[in-house]
Amino acid sequence: MDFRRTVLVTGASRGIGAACATKLAAQGWDVAVNFARDEASATRVAEAVRAQGRRALVLRADVGDEAATLAMFARIDAEWGPLGGLVNNAGIVDMQSRLEDMETARWRRMLDVNVVGTLLCAREAVRRMSTRRGGRGGAIVNLSSAAAVLGGPGLYVDYAASKGAIDSFTTGLGREVAADGIRVNAVRPGIIDTEIHAASGDPNRAASAAGVVPMKRPGTAMECANAVAWLLSDEASYVTGTVVTVSGGR
Ligand code: NAP
């Protein structure tokens, strides 16, 4: 087995994660398809991976739940051995709101999934990949957001703050493990046409906000997956600790 060609994509049952799974399978990666709730959709994504001649695992784990996430990594260890790649894609948003109207429980859940979940999966990946710990290297890609830079005023400053944390984390971890055979980068999507916008109370946001995008259209999940796949690949062998913006110029 080629250890470098196994990748875990978190939140891969739909949207950008699902596009990453199929794109990476097309590039020769075996894909562990993580999801939290929608097993039927995750299973369909796994079938699309297998249809391209690659292996797939379907793994339920809420990345905000440490025990479930550790069990997911243990299952990958048992079935495939050490990972060569991780895409930290699972992320949530919440109803559009001003800060003064938000409850703290919302912030805790968002930070648990978007930040702690990303750090936790990255920690487990580094423990397995690091040449410092006997591993054979690898690559990690985190999903940031244009909100990290724009701030999401009046919409979701909490989500924006969680993605700002991803940018800082990508810079720091990228430098921390650069000499240990691991590259760490992020993709920063703008307005992408996925189902995430329904959770913010604006299911048509991708279309209705297109006017604020210099290219005058939302992006597709596959346009993000293309950047993720490049960052994971050896084509990006001298790229680490950086963020690639995929936002149509926004
Ligand atoms: P999406 O369509 O809502 O899909 C989210 C995926 O994450 C689903 O597969 C969902 O699966 C999974 N998920 C949610 N919570 C999870 C958890 N706690 N543990 C594990 N999996 C979980 O979202 P998307 O638009 O593809 O976004 C993907 C990433 O890109 C996110 O990090 C998001 O913040 C970022 N992003 C998106 C946009 C955009 O415009 N779409 C822009 C900037 C950044 P289940 O339902 O099965 O749990």
Side-chain angles (χ1 to χ4, degrees), residues 35-46:
F35 70 102
R37 290 174 306 179
D38 185 356
E39 184 163 18
S41 294
T43 299
R44 277 194 295 276
V45 172

Side-chain angles (χ1 to χ4, degrees), residues 61-84:
D62 175 346
V63 299
D65 175 338
E66 182 167 12
T69 302
L70 294 182
M72 170 171 68
F73 275 88
R75 169 108 187 269
I76 297 168
D77 290 342
E79 304 236 0
W80 285 354
L83 279 175

Side-chain angles (χ1 to χ4, degrees), residues 183-248:
R183 294 184 300 102
V184 184
N185 293 290
V187 167
R188 184 188 288 143
I191 299 170
I192 308 301
D193 189 8
T194 72
E195 293 172 33
I196 199 171
H197 307 291
S200 76
D202 185 5
N204 296 319
R205 176 167 164 74
S208 63
V212 304
V213 180
M215 284 190 181
K216 301 299 178 197
R217 67 168 179 87
T220 66
M222 191 53 79
E223 286 175 313
C224 296
N226 289 339
V228 169
W230 175 72
L231 286 168
L232 270 191
S233 78
D234 289 342
E235 300 278 299
S237 54
Y238 200 52
V239 180
T240 200
T242 197
V243 183
V244 173
T245 300
V246 181
S247 69

Side-chain angles (χ1 to χ4, degrees), residues 2-245:
D2 181 359
F3 77 98
R4 297 201 68 113
R5 306 304 285 180
T6 58
V7 60
L8 166 63
V9 182
T10 67
S13 60
R14 62 170 183 271
I16 295 169
C20 288
T22 53
K23 175 75 184 182
L24 290 166
Q27 294 199 334
W29 292 82
D30 293 336
V31 185
V33 176
N34 160 256
F35 70 102
R37 290 174 306 179
D38 185 356
E39 184 163 18
S41 294
T43 299
R44 277 194 295 276
V45 172
E47 284 164 2
V49 168
R50 293 187 188 111
Q52 299 185 80
R54 306 309 307 182
R55 297 178 305 169
L57 285 174
V58 178
L59 300 170
R60 182 194 295 272
D62 175 346
V63 299
D65 175 338
E66 182 167 12
T69 302
L70 294 182
M72 170 171 68
F73 275 88
R75 169 108 187 269
I76 297 168
D77 290 342
E79 304 236 0
W80 285 354
L83 279 175
L86 167 67
V87 182
N88 261 321
N89 167 79
I92 56 172
V93 71
D94 211 323
M95 293 299 285
Q96 295 181 3
S97 176
R98 291 175 61 87
L99 181 79
E100 63 253 41
D101 299 320
M102 292 178 188
E103 304 291 338
T104 52
R106 158 188 171 133
W107 301 337
R108 295 192 196 289
R109 175 68 185 151
M110 195 171 304
L111 293 171
D112 261 352
V113 173
N114 293 5
V115 182
V116 179
T118 295
L119 269 62
L120 173 60
C121 290
R123 183 190 76 191
E124 293 307 306
V126 167
R127 285 178 173 174
R128 289 158 173 80
M129 295 172 178
S130 175
T131 54
R132 173 192 291 264
R133 302 171 67 101
R136 301 173 73 181
I140 297 172
V141 179
N142 302 317
L143 267 292
S144 174
S145 170
V149 179
L150 299 168
L155 300 174
Y156 26 63
V157 292
D158 51 350
Y159 172 79
S162 78
K163 293 299 185 176
I166 297 305
D167 286 6
S168 303
F169 175 62
T170 299
T171 304
L173 186 65
R175 292 174 179 172
E176 183 170 300
V177 299
D180 306 331
I182 306 171
R183 294 184 300 102
V184 184
N185 293 290
V187 167
R188 184 188 288 143
I191 299 170
I192 308 301
D193 189 8
T194 72
E195 293 172 33
I196 199 171
H197 307 291
S200 76
D202 185 5
N204 296 319
R205 176 167 164 74
S208 63
V212 304
V213 180
M215 284 190 181
K216 301 299 178 197
R217 67 168 179 87
T220 66
M222 191 53 79
E223 286 175 313
C224 296
N226 289 339
V228 169
W230 175 72
L231 286 168
L232 270 191
S233 78
D234 289 342
E235 300 278 299
S237 54
Y238 200 52
V239 180
T240 200
T242 197
V243 183
V244 173
T245 300

